[in-house]
Amino acid sequence: MQPPKYFHIGAIGSLVILIAWLLAWETVVAPLRPGSWILALKVLPLLIPLGGVIKRDIYTLQWSSMVILLYFTEGVVRAWSDKLEVSRFMAMGEIALVFIYFACALLYLRPYKKAAKKMAKELLEKVNSTKSTK
């Protein structure tokens, strides 16, 4: 069974928007210091899985759904601790985008996980049945 396309589209869209969101946050909207862009480099790890997510690579979707949780953590910390209201707003946007990506990736992967479990169960039953006949 093929997963619904909108989960794939949601994963791509939220990842691309998250990259743009973080770049805008750290360069234009609310950089830590005026003219400071060094924190914008935090988007570089998000560029690594982008190609695999677009190509529907199962392995990339799996590991990126775990890596993305680091950005969730950063968003929570900055939403809690940043002094500027606009920066806290950007952090909450980061949290929302990470959540959307995580949910879309997991929902997209769900049928593949079910199929893998089914295949593993069938293989185990086959192995066990050949052992019992010997």
Side-chain angles (χ1 to χ4, degrees):
M1 181 182 153
Q2 186 72 6
K5 288 182 181 177
Y6 51 83
F7 292 136
H8 180 240
I9 293 167
I12 294 170
S14 60
L15 186 57
V16 169
I17 293 169
L18 179 62
I19 291 167
W21 187 269
L22 294 176
L23 279 173
W25 180 10
E26 300 300 349
T27 58
V28 179
V29 178
L32 285 179
R33 278 180 240 126
S36 175
W37 55 268
I38 199 76
L39 266 179
L41 294 177
K42 69 183 173 187
V43 303
L44 292 179
L46 294 175
L47 296 174
I48 296 169
L50 185 58
V53 172
I54 291 169
K55 293 177 187 172
R56 297 180 177 161
D57 182 59
I58 302 302
Y59 182 70
T60 302
L61 281 158
Q62 288 174 330
W63 69 259
S64 66
S65 67
M66 296 298 110
V67 170
I68 200 89
L69 296 177
L70 294 170
Y71 292 87
F72 178 82
T73 304
E74 187 227 7
V76 169
V77 169
R78 295 210 41 201
W80 180 266
S81 64
D82 278 7
K83 290 179 173 46
L84 289 175
E85 186 71 30
V86 67
S87 189
R88 286 196 305 269
F89 171 78
M90 296 299 285
M92 288 185 265
E94 178 182 20
I95 293 167
L97 289 165
V98 167
F99 178 79
I100 292 167
Y101 177 82
F102 186 75
C104 286
L106 290 185
L107 290 169
Y108 182 80
L109 292 169
R110 190 177 193 187
Y112 294 105
K113 184 161 174 96
K114 284 183 181 183
K117 277 186 178 181
K118 183 180 176 186
M119 286 175 48
K121 184 179 177 182
E122 290 171 358
L123 181 62
L124 189 59
E125 288 172 355
K126 187 176 182 178
V127 168
N128 287 336
S129 69
T130 58
K131 282 184 179 180
S132 63
T133 58
K134 289 184 179 180

